[in-house]
Amino acid sequence: MTTQQNHSSDIHFAYWVPNVSGGLVVSNIEQRTDWGIDYNRRLAKAAEKNGFEYALTQIRFTAGYGADNQHESVAFSHSILESTENLKVIAAILPGPWKPAVVAKQLATIDQLTNGRIAINIVSGWFRGEFDAIGEEWPDHDERYVRSEEFIRTLKGIWTQDNYSFDGKYYQFKDYTLKPKPLQQPHPEIFQGGSSRAARDMASRVSDWYFTNGNTVEGIKAQVDDIREKAKANNHHVKIGLNAFIIARDTEEEAQAVLQEIIDKANPEAVNAFGDAAKEAGAASPEGEGNWAKSTFEDLVQYNDGFKTNLIGTPQQVAERIVALKAAGVDLVLAGFLHFIEEVEYFGEKVLPLVRELEAKNNEQLKAAV
C-alpha cells in the first residue's frame, strides 16, 4: 500500500516504537513484536507505507514491569530514520539524565542528517525508582514540570538564537551559539506528556504537541477545551495527541476476544508493581489527577490507558471512533498494537481508508452547511 495523502486538517497517526522488550501490554499473551533493530526497521518501513507519519521511541533506564531490556531512544531513533524516507521519529527525553545543551546538539545533528525528520518528547518523569537508581534528583510533582518547562524554553532558545543566554532555576546559559542549527523551522517539533494540571498548563505555554493517556471522547474533549482555552490566553497554539491501543479485526467478537485474552493473561505482579509506581506519580499532583491516578487494573495492563480510548472492533467501528475523537479535538492518534507489523499493515489497508472517507464526508457536510 502507498502512503495516504494527508491534508493538514486530517487526523495524523503515530505508533509506539517497541524499542523496549515486552511489547505494549503487560500480559503473557503472545505478542509477535520484537524490540530489536531489525524488526523495528521493517516495522518503520511498513508504518511509513501505511499512513503513519510519526513514530515515538520510548525511554527507560531500568528493567521492570515486563520491560527487561531497553534500547536508548535517541540512538534508536536515528537508526530508524536511516531506514525510512518520510517518517518523522519522536525521541523521548528525560530532563535530569539529559541536559538541554546535549539534547539540542544531538537533535540538531540528527535533523541535519535526516533532512528535518527528528522531533522530541519531553517526559517529565513518573518512575521515582528509576531516578533513584541512577542518582538523579527527583523534584516534587509540579517542580518536575517547572524543570521541563525550562528545558523546553532553553531548547527553543538554543535552536533559534545566537548568543543565547538564560538564567533559570535548573538551567543556565551564557552567550551560547549552536551551529549548525536544525533544518526544521523554527525548530524540531516539541511534544510532551502528562494529564495533571501542571502538565496541561505547561503545554498551554510552550509545547507544540500535548500527549495524553487514553481516554473517552468526553474525557478528552474536557482536556482539549481546557488546554486550548489556556493556550489562547497565552497567545499559543498546541496540538493534541491521544494514546490508543488498537485492536481492529474482521468482527467485533474477534476484537473483543483478543482484548479479553490480553486481560486474562495479564501478569498481575508486573501490572500491580507498575500501577503502584504510576499511581504514586499521578496522585502526587496537587489535584490528584496526573497520569494513571484513576486507572483500574484492566487499564494498567496497557501502559498508557490505551484500552480506554476504545479503538477496539471492526475497521468501520474503529474508523468511526477515530473520527469522533477528531471531532473532540484530537489531532493525532498514538497507536499501540499486539502484533505490530501485521496490524500496522491491516490498519493501513482496512481502517485508514475508512477514516479518510469519513473525514471527506464530514468536510463536505461542513461546506454545505456554510
Side-chain angles (χ1 to χ4, degrees):
M1 159 146 192
T2 57
T3 302
Q4 297 281 327
Q5 183 178 0
N6 197 355
H7 302 95
S8 59
S9 62
D10 290 343
I11 196 163
H12 304 274
F13 293 95
Y15 73 93
W16 283 96
V17 175
N19 58 303
V20 169
S21 65
L24 267 288
V25 290
V26 189
S27 175
N28 295 321
I29 192 172
E30 180 192 14
Q31 298 185 68
R32 292 188 291 278
T33 291
D34 188 82
W35 59 283
I37 190 58
D38 290 341
Y39 180 91
N40 271 282
R41 284 173 177 151
R42 287 189 284 118
L43 170 58
K45 291 174 182 177
E48 187 174 63
K49 289 178 181 177
N50 284 278
F52 287 80
E53 297 170 73
Y54 295 90
L56 174 65
T57 53
Q58 305 172 61
I59 183 57
R60 290 282 297 274
F61 278 93
T62 60
Y65 318 128
D68 293 334
N69 298 283
Q70 318 91 31
H71 284 304
E72 188 275 320
S73 56
V74 177
F76 210 80
S77 295
H78 192 200
S79 184
I80 291 173
L81 286 163
E82 288 196 313
S83 305
T84 53
E85 296 179 2
N86 300 306
L87 190 72
K88 182 175 282 191
V89 182
I90 311 161
I93 295 291
L94 276 165
W98 270 283
K99 304 299 182 254
V102 174
V103 172
K105 190 75 171 175
Q106 280 180 307
L107 268 61
T109 296
I110 295 174
D111 207 55
Q112 289 276 340
L113 296 176
T114 61
N115 197 29
R117 293 193 292 124
I118 190 71
I120 185 171
N121 182 41
I122 305 296
V123 182
S124 294
W126 60 269
F127 182 17
R128 178 171 186 164
E130 188 169 57
F131 276 64
D132 289 345
I134 61 176
E136 284 289 339
E137 180 186 4
W138 182 253
D140 289 340
H141 180 276
D142 282 10
E143 272 299 303
R144 296 200 294 277
Y145 286 95
V146 172
R147 179 169 66 179
S148 291
E149 184 164 340
E150 284 194 10
F151 198 100
I152 292 171
R153 290 187 184 278
T154 55
L155 280 182
K156 288 182 175 181
I158 294 167
W159 281 337
T160 61
Q161 300 175 34
D162 289 340
N163 307 112
Y164 176 69
S165 295
F166 182 86
D167 186 17
K169 181 175 181 179
Y170 292 97
Y171 306 110
Q172 296 80 39
F173 289 85
K174 185 176 180 181
D175 197 28
Y176 175 56
T177 298
L178 171 71
K179 289 188 177 179
K181 288 181 168 52
L183 291 177
Q184 293 181 77
Q185 295 296 320
H187 52 71
E189 290 179 286
I190 298 172
F191 293 72
Q192 66 148 105
S195 293
S196 66
R197 174 78 274 153
R200 284 177 278 159
D201 286 354
M202 184 178 88
S204 76
R205 290 189 292 265
V206 296
S207 300
D208 300 315
W209 287 87
Y210 168 79
F211 274 140
T212 187
N213 273 9
N215 211 331
T216 61
V217 170
E218 296 74 23
I220 190 64
K221 188 177 188 306
Q223 284 182 287
V224 169
D225 290 347
D226 174 70
I227 291 169
R228 292 208 163 131
E229 182 180 351
K230 291 210 165 189
K232 186 176 181 180
N234 295 328
N235 196 28
H236 182 64
H237 177 72
V238 60
K239 290 175 280 190
I240 309 297
L242 175 66
N243 184 66
F245 192 83
I246 298 177
I247 307 175
R249 298 293 188 272
D250 291 343
T251 67
E252 183 178 11
E253 292 75 19
E254 187 181 359
Q256 290 296 331
V258 172
L259 173 63
Q260 194 58 51
E261 185 182 1
I262 292 170
I263 293 170
D264 289 345
K265 294 182 177 178
N267 181 331
E269 183 179 345
V271 172
N272 288 324
F274 169 71
D276 290 344
K279 287 186 177 184
E280 178 185 354
S285 62
E287 75 284 3
E289 292 184 2
N291 281 347
W292 306 289
K294 299 177 181 178
S295 300
T296 66
F297 176 90
E298 288 78 10
D299 295 330
L300 292 164
V301 173
Q302 204 289 310
Y303 286 126
N304 291 84
D305 289 341
F307 300 150
K308 283 184 181 180
T309 310
N310 195 29
L311 299 188
I312 300 164
T314 65
Q316 185 68 35
Q317 288 173 319
V318 172
E320 289 174 356
R321 290 166 189 166
I322 287 170
V323 174
L325 290 166
K326 178 186 174 182
V330 173
D331 299 291
L332 177 149
V333 171
L334 173 59
F337 298 94
L338 192 64
H339 312 303
F340 265 85
I341 291 178
E342 57 206 77
E343 295 196 41
V344 158
E345 292 173 341
Y346 184 92
F347 182 89
E349 181 182 351
K350 302 286 188 180
V351 181
L352 187 57
L354 297 176
V355 172
R356 299 301 182 224
E357 285 176 18
L358 289 168
E359 286 179 317
K361 183 179 179 181
N362 288 351
N363 289 338
E364 288 300 319
Q365 290 175 344
L366 287 172
K367 287 178 184 177
V370 173

